[in-house]
Amino acid sequence: MAIETVIHDKNTRDFLKGKIKKVEEITKNGQSYVNLLSIIVFKDIQNHFKNEEGPDGKWAPWSKMYQEHMEKIGRGSNNILQFSGHLRKAFVPTNYKTSSEGITWYNSARTKDGAPYAADHQYGTNRMPARSFMWLSDKGQEDIAKQTLAFLEDEKT
């Protein structure tokens, strides 16, 4: 059995229509909503490079052989995953795809031969450990929740 409620007050109807429009924009991954989240995701991932950490803690250090190589070429003080900065710089806020499942941000960094080395570092290979950088921290998730609430509360449509 359904119960119908009719709202006669125009201000209340307009208010609810505005909120429904905002919820639809969120569920359909609307451009303005995704742009707000992209800024949060970008900052969070940049912090992973700065702090050299994945979701499970600090990244594995360089192997002894690679450390020696880096020292020999004068880059022994470089941060992990930042030989040239290309991997970090390849992630930009506009690198995302939307679907009915949600929003997926990605890093398009590739080698000269076209191999997707962002994935190699993210997941590891048989020759190198995973050093995950494409993840969202607890703070990033909290910031997204706050931004989503602020987006819903915003009266501008």
Side-chain angles (χ1 to χ4, degrees):
M1 170 190 266
I3 298 175
E4 185 176 316
T5 302
V6 178
I7 300 171
H8 296 285
D9 181 69
K10 182 182 180 333
N11 290 337
T12 303
R13 281 195 320 266
D14 290 347
F15 172 81
L16 291 173
K17 283 179 186 176
K19 296 305 170 204
I20 289 168
K21 187 175 179 181
K22 290 283 191 175
V23 169
E24 286 174 351
E25 186 164 356
I26 289 170
T27 58
K28 292 178 181 173
N29 300 315
Q31 186 73 43
S32 61
Y33 176 67
V34 175
N35 288 344
L36 292 172
L37 300 189
S38 292
I39 294 165
I40 295 167
V41 171
F42 177 78
K43 286 179 180 179
D44 202 52
I45 290 173
Q46 293 304 309
N47 279 332
H48 304 324
F49 281 99
K50 178 183 170 190
N51 299 328
E52 299 182 323
E53 65 183 4
D56 299 322
K58 288 287 187 185
W59 289 336
W62 291 331
S63 68
K64 183 177 175 159
M65 188 169 82
Y66 191 73
Q67 176 70 44
E68 290 170 357
H69 166 73
M70 292 295 280
E71 288 171 5
K72 186 176 181 181
I73 64 171
R75 293 188 179 230
S77 63
N78 275 32
N79 288 351
I80 297 171
L81 298 188
Q82 294 187 57
F83 183 85
S84 67
H86 179 68
L87 182 63
R88 180 180 49 81
K89 292 174 191 172
F91 178 73
V92 294
T94 54
N95 283 357
Y96 67 85
K97 297 174 187 170
T98 62
S99 70
S100 60
E101 299 295 314
I103 309 160
T104 303
W105 283 268
Y106 59 91
N107 187 310
S108 60
R110 297 186 174 278
T111 64
K112 292 177 196 170
D113 299 326
Y117 80 97
D120 289 350
H121 286 295
Q122 176 72 18
Y123 303 111
T125 67
N126 58 354
R127 296 181 59 210
M128 76 173 123
R131 293 184 177 103
S132 297
F133 56 91
M134 294 289 292
W135 58 282
L136 200 57
S137 69
D138 290 343
K139 178 169 181 348
Q141 292 177 49
E142 182 180 316
D143 289 347
I144 284 178
K146 287 177 184 176
Q147 188 61 57
T148 299
L149 183 58
F151 183 82
L152 284 169
E153 290 176 342
D154 187 8
E155 295 301 317
K156 296 176 228 140
T157 53

